[in-house]
Amino acid sequence: MIIDTGEADVTEQDRLVAAVQEVAWELARQRAVGEGGMDVASPWEPGLSQDQRRRAWLATRSALEAVRAEAGRLAEDAAARAVEYGAEPEEVGKRAGGRWSRLFSRAGENRAGESRESGAALGVLSANGRAASSRLDNLFPM
């Protein structure tokens, strides 16, 4: 489903869906067809055979799984950074829809056993095992 973001009644959720869909299709087009990619603009392209449409949807599915995995890692990293800068578990959980508490093992302590009042310090591991740091040279390349 392609969403026209120029319409007045398009919601933020609609725009998010359209953006993720476009990212997934772009990833699927970048992969070689023999490696799970697609050789069409989208699964909705007019005039596709059933086999082309099937391959396009499978490529889209694979790309969406890659997007989901990376978005999860980025969300965990963002939560770890928030904790590093003093965010409380309730605050982090609220922003994640109540689904995030991995850095906190017991009330009042983070995963490293430090008091929440002090915040996370350099050297604390993020939720995916990378070292948390406020150094700009330790950030992911963009």
Side-chain angles (χ1 to χ4, degrees):
M1 172 170 75
I2 298 175
I3 298 171
D4 179 8
T5 57
E7 295 179 20
D9 61 342
V10 173
T11 67
E12 183 178 342
Q13 180 67 28
D14 293 335
R15 286 188 292 277
L16 176 62
V17 167
V20 170
Q21 178 177 271
E22 285 300 322
V23 166
W25 287 346
E26 181 61 29
L27 286 172
R29 286 189 295 266
Q30 288 176 6
R31 292 179 179 165
V33 175
E35 296 174 11
M38 66 182 192
D39 56 355
V40 297
S42 85
W44 294 113
E45 189 174 309
L48 296 180
S49 70
Q50 184 172 345
D51 187 55
Q52 286 174 310
R53 212 169 292 284
R54 178 187 59 79
R55 286 189 318 233
W57 281 117
L58 288 171
T60 299
R61 169 72 169 142
S62 176
L64 284 167
E65 284 302 320
V67 168
R68 179 194 321 247
E70 191 56 36
R73 281 189 288 275
L74 289 172
E76 293 294 326
D77 285 347
R81 297 292 175 164
V83 169
E84 179 180 347
Y85 289 97
E88 295 292 326
E90 298 80 20
E91 194 177 11
V92 174
K94 181 180 177 184
R95 299 292 173 106
R99 297 180 309 267
W100 195 85
S101 63
R102 292 185 185 155
L103 285 183
F104 298 94
S105 57
R106 296 186 298 262
E109 290 186 356
N110 64 22
R111 183 193 248 166
E114 299 165 337
S115 169
R116 277 196 319 232
E117 288 78 45
S118 66
L122 293 178
V124 172
L125 293 181
S126 68
N128 60 11
R130 286 191 278 252
S133 170
S134 61
R135 291 180 23 204
L136 293 178
D137 64 348
N138 195 27
L139 299 177
F140 289 103
M142 294 278 193

